[in-house]
Amino acid sequence: MNMQWDAETYGRDFSFVHRYGDGVAALIGAAPGSTVLDLGCGNGALTHRLRQSGFQVMGLDASPDLLSAARKSYPDIEFVLGDAVDFSLPEPVDVVFSNAVFHWIEKKCHPAMLACVSRALKPGGEFVFEFGGRGNTAWIEAALERAFSREGYRYQNPFFFPTIGEYAPMVEAAGFRVEYAQLFARPTPLQGEDGLGNWIRMFLKGPFEALPGPARQAVIRRAEAELRPVLCRDGQWYADYVRLRMKARKL
Ligand code: BEZ
């Protein structure tokens, strides 16, 4: 999926994305000093955390804006512009790591992405990742479907949120043994009174392009009104995230 990232807003208002990455990074079993590719590294915050844990890291991302923010913040880390579904590395690495990226990739492109990951790893190398799993943002999506429909438009969920049963065979088919898999709910606090609206504006630019200008705000306001009793507690908005977390080993 092509998406224009606003690196400044992303870093300021959506820093939870990399903070939550620590849990999945804890699944890495490779020794300090091992080489780690952070696939879809974004602004590099998590790549930097991995380096602080003692790994030799590099980051790859398809967004020039996020990469230039990453290079500015961490000039001594190697960041490479590249597409997760079509990349190769000069030397294979010990670990490929990825957080909150794969749901952006269309289902039909995952076999190509998994083949690139497999080629990028040494035999026995670890593939550790987390992304949105089945049920992710289900309340938000349902409210948007209704709000779009009231305006006479159809909301199309642009994301791939698989179950373990759907995704583990895809990983295995790319030459991995799945060693760990978990699908779990993680309601995720959103920043500020307008947290839900800002989340929608930041991440759902694609579906909103179909709407004429005045309808956009109406849809967001309607979704907020519908979701407030479910996703807002004491003035704090939460996104109804569900995470699919896995560790697999290259055979
Ligand atoms: C997620 O991390 O689950 C996510 C982020 C943006 C849009 C949809 C899902």
Side-chain angles (χ1 to χ4, degrees):
M1 187 188 312
N2 277 334
M3 163 95 182
Q4 281 284 99
W5 290 97
D6 170 352
E8 198 187 321
T9 312
Y10 184 75
R12 192 188 55 230
D13 295 345
F14 298 96
S15 60
F16 64 80
V17 175
H18 57 78
R19 272 191 278 113
Y20 280 114
D22 288 345
V24 58
L27 286 179
I28 298 176
S34 301
T35 47
V36 179
L37 168 69
D38 183 5
L39 184 58
C41 63
N43 65 11
L46 205 41
T47 328
H48 170 64
R49 294 270 260 265
L50 291 167
R51 192 186 49 182
Q52 285 181 320
S53 305
F55 299 114
Q56 292 181 60
V57 294
M58 67 179 289
L60 183 142
D61 203 281
S63 161
D65 288 350
L66 289 177
L67 272 190
S68 86
R71 290 186 181 120
K72 209 161 139 197
S73 302
Y74 313 107
D76 47 350
I77 296 182
E78 184 185 0
F79 291 105
V80 182
L81 184 66
D83 187 340
V85 306
D86 182 17
F87 74 94
S88 58
L89 300 181
E91 296 290 333
V93 290
D94 298 303
V95 179
V96 173
F97 171 85
S98 183
N99 181 51
V101 174
F102 295 166
H103 46 257
W104 293 97
I105 298 172
E106 275 181 276
K107 180 179 179 180
K108 68 172 196 274
C109 297
H110 277 249
M113 189 268 292
L114 293 167
C116 289
V117 171
S118 178
R119 278 194 298 273
L121 276 169
K122 295 177 188 170
E126 295 174 30
F127 180 28
V128 172
F129 59 91
E130 180 179 305
F131 67 110
R134 181 64 54 83
N136 197 56
T137 56
W139 279 99
I140 299 176
E141 305 284 336
L144 287 174
E145 273 168 30
R146 285 187 284 272
F148 268 61
S149 160
R150 276 188 75 104
E151 299 292 326
Y153 291 83
R154 187 157 164 255
Y155 175 79
Q156 279 188 304
N157 178 350
F159 302 106
F160 176 46
F161 296 138
T163 61
I164 293 174
E166 186 176 11
Y167 205 62
M170 292 171 74
V171 175
E172 286 166 351
F176 290 93
R177 181 177 63 231
V178 174
E179 294 184 342
Y180 174 94
Q182 190 188 10
L183 183 80
F184 61 99
R186 193 187 60 213
T188 299
L190 302 175
Q191 208 163 296
E193 262 175 41
D194 202 14
L196 181 69
N198 286 340
W199 184 92
I200 292 172
R201 281 182 212 99
M202 178 75 189
F203 293 120
L204 299 180
K205 291 193 176 91
F208 274 74
E209 270 164 19
L211 293 178
R216 293 182 188 179
Q217 196 55 6
V219 163
I220 292 176
R221 291 290 163 243
R222 184 166 292 280
E224 279 174 337
E226 196 178 308
L227 291 170
R228 192 172 289 280
V230 192
L231 297 182
C232 190
R233 282 188 291 283
D234 301 325
Q236 169 69 61
W237 281 102
Y238 294 83
D240 53 332
Y241 279 9
V242 173
R243 304 284 94 178
L244 175 57
R245 191 178 272 188
M246 280 195 188
K247 175 173 177 174
R249 195 169 295 278
K250 179 175 166 170
L251 295 172

